[in-house]
Amino acid sequence: MPAVPALREKPVVVLQNRQRRVPVDLPGLKDFASRAVVAVMNIAPQPGDVLPYLDEVSVALISDKAMAYFHVEFMDIAGPTDVLTFEHGEILISTETAASHASEFDHTPQEEIALYILHGLLHLRGYDDTSPDEHEEMHRVQSEIFAQLHLI
């Protein structure tokens, strides 16, 4: 019988800034991410939840150029996107896309990046946003958690 992976209390979130175009407060984002993973672990899991089985979640802040490469490589969609989440625990975030979207939603780029970290963690918890109903539910949960966590 195959071994069942052990459940973990919470994975460790590791952030790396791999871009130079958008200034970020990496310690502030690390603090947000560590609080966000606790909040996400405390909500109901959805089908496809992998978060409790991960030792680590790796968040890489990257450029639009790098994101465009990964977007076409893994999704077969040309151009950059805001965030890509992989079920092995990697989250890629385009800081340039975050900066350009931030003003649309009355956020700072730092807040928008934090929101994308939360979004990626929710995907790892099993939340999806491909159908209209799933999109509405995921964004409702995301908004509630984001409002509770506040960026410091």
Side-chain angles (χ1 to χ4, degrees):
M1 176 145 77
V4 175
L7 287 172
R8 311 248 182 260
E9 188 174 313
K10 67 174 181 170
V12 174
V13 181
V14 177
L15 267 84
Q16 298 177 337
N17 185 11
R18 298 182 171 233
Q19 58 83 46
R20 287 181 244 145
R21 293 187 182 252
V22 177
V24 295
D25 169 14
L26 203 57
L29 288 172
K30 286 179 180 181
D31 175 70
F32 176 86
S34 67
R35 292 182 294 115
V37 74
V38 170
V40 171
M41 289 293 291
N42 284 320
I43 61 171
Q46 300 297 304
D49 176 27
V50 297
L51 194 58
Y53 303 99
L54 299 171
D55 291 323
E56 178 179 292
V57 174
S58 172
V59 178
L61 307 179
I62 61 176
S63 67
D64 267 357
K65 182 178 179 182
M67 181 61 89
Y69 169 82
F70 291 115
H71 201 203
V72 77
E73 181 73 17
F74 293 102
M75 304 293 290
D76 204 25
I77 301 171
T81 189
D82 48 8
V83 59
L84 286 174
T85 305
F86 299 92
E87 85 177 23
H88 63 271
E90 186 171 12
I91 301 170
L92 302 176
I93 295 173
S94 171
T95 57
E96 291 169 271
T97 297
S100 68
H101 287 171
S103 62
E104 294 175 37
F105 300 105
D106 200 28
H107 291 157
T108 66
Q110 184 85 359
E111 290 169 326
E112 194 71 9
I113 292 166
L115 186 64
Y116 296 170
I117 291 169
L118 176 57
H119 187 85
L121 291 169
L122 287 170
H123 274 305
L124 293 172
R125 192 68 168 147
Y127 284 81
D128 203 354
D129 53 3
T130 52
S131 78
D133 287 345
E134 290 171 328
H135 182 273
E136 183 179 325
E137 175 63 9
M138 182 176 185
H139 286 268
R140 181 190 64 75
V141 170
Q142 178 178 290
S143 294
E144 287 176 7
I145 293 173
F146 192 69
Q148 292 169 3
L149 290 178
H150 308 294
L151 257 181
I152 295 175

